[in-house]
């Protein structure tokens, strides 16, 4: 998301697109995922005049419930947490993050909303990596479709503003760069 954060006019366009979409769908709150969802979610929530809910990594908030551990494209993660009073029974919640790949983090967030009696209207991301939706068995890639079905959350829609097929700019890395394999 660093690319659009340095361009306020692009960031504003992204926020405006999300606001237009969710103003029509009707939501009660916006939940952002730790940490990039904390950048995208608040301006969208403010424009919609809806509360913003932080879904954080474990150990960061008091009076919170936790989801089970989950897998991502980076490996196993401990569950997400949310404060118990942030989602009320019947609340229509929009979950926001910067990117969806395997759906592991989104599934954790969806489960938290359901645990508190809320309904996830949609999971929205700036970028959706469609190669993880339902890859062939031979690819060895994890399947978001299978994950959502096995978690009984396949009714929750996922929307991405753009997908990897339109990302054509190749990033250049500094000379000597070594990937440490960690999520940043």
């Amino acid at each position: 998301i660093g690319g659009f954060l340095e361009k306020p006019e692009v960031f504003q366009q992204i926020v405006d697109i999300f606001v237009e979409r969710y103003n029509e769908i009707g939501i009660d709150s916006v939940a952002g995922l730790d940490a990039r969802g904390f950048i995208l979610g608040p301006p969208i929530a403010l424009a919609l005049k809806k509360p913003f809910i932080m879904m954080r990594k474990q150990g960061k908030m008091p009076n919170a419930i936790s989801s089970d551990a989950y897998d991502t494209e980076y490996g196993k993660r401990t569950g997400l947490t949310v404060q118990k009073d942030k989602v009320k029974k019947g609340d229509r919640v929009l979950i926001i993050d910067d990117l969806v790949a395997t759906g592991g983090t989104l599934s954790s967030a969806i489960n938290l909303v359901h645990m508190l009696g809320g309904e996830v209207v949609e999971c929205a991301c700036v970028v959706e990596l469609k190669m993880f939706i339902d890859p062939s068995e031979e690819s060895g890639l994890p399947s978001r479709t299978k994950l959502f079905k096995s978690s009984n959350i396949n009714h929750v829609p996922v929307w991405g503003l753009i997908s990897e097929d339109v990302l054509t700019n190749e990033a250049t890395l500094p000379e000597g760069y070594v990937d440490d394999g960690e999520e940043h």
Side-chain angles (χ1 to χ4, degrees):
I1 69 173
F4 69 77
L5 290 178
E6 67 184 5
K7 297 179 178 165
E9 64 284 351
V10 175
F11 189 11
Q12 185 64 61
Q13 282 182 318
I14 290 170
V15 169
D16 292 346
I17 290 167
F18 278 70
V19 168
E20 182 178 337
R21 179 175 180 83
Y22 296 106
N23 201 26
E24 294 176 16
I25 289 176
I27 59 166
D28 296 310
S29 59
V30 176
L33 305 186
D34 197 345
R36 290 176 287 268
F38 296 175
I39 296 169
L40 290 166
I44 294 166
L46 281 170
L48 292 169
K49 297 182 177 23
K50 302 295 180 186
F52 178 74
I53 300 168
M54 294 187 300
M55 293 198 164
R56 303 209 58 196
K57 296 173 179 113
Q58 288 188 1
K60 305 284 185 179
M61 288 192 293
N63 192 31
I65 62 165
S66 297
S67 66
D68 292 334
Y70 59 95
D71 292 317
T72 72
E73 62 276 20
Y74 304 108
K76 198 151 194 72
R77 300 286 185 249
T78 58
L80 290 176
T81 62
V82 67
Q83 290 178 311
K84 294 176 185 176
D85 63 345
K86 299 304 177 197
V87 177
K88 312 278 187 294
K89 185 175 172 107
D91 277 0
R92 293 172 48 83
V93 180
L94 168 65
I95 296 175
I96 298 272
D97 205 2
D98 65 324
L99 178 139
V100 58
T102 64
T105 309
L106 289 181
S107 69
S108 181
I110 293 165
N111 287 328
L112 283 175
V113 172
H114 289 169
M115 288 165 67
L116 293 169
E119 171 194 351
V120 178
V121 173
E122 194 163 75
C123 295
C125 303
V126 176
V127 177
E128 179 180 21
L129 300 181
K130 293 187 176 197
M131 61 195 248
F132 292 106
I133 292 175
D134 198 16
S136 68
E137 290 290 329
E138 302 81 47
S139 74
L141 294 173
S143 168
R144 187 167 74 226
T145 300
K146 286 181 182 176
L147 171 65
F148 275 37
K149 281 182 182 175
S150 69
S151 301
N152 201 28
I153 57 172
N154 52 320
H155 62 283
V156 177
V158 175
W159 180 77
L161 178 61
I162 59 174
S163 64
E164 76 275 9
D165 53 331
V166 300
L167 300 175
T168 58
N169 292 342
E170 185 175 335
T172 55
L173 299 172
E175 189 174 324
Y177 174 83
V178 177
D179 187 350
D180 62 10
E182 291 295 316
E183 178 181 6
H184 297 281

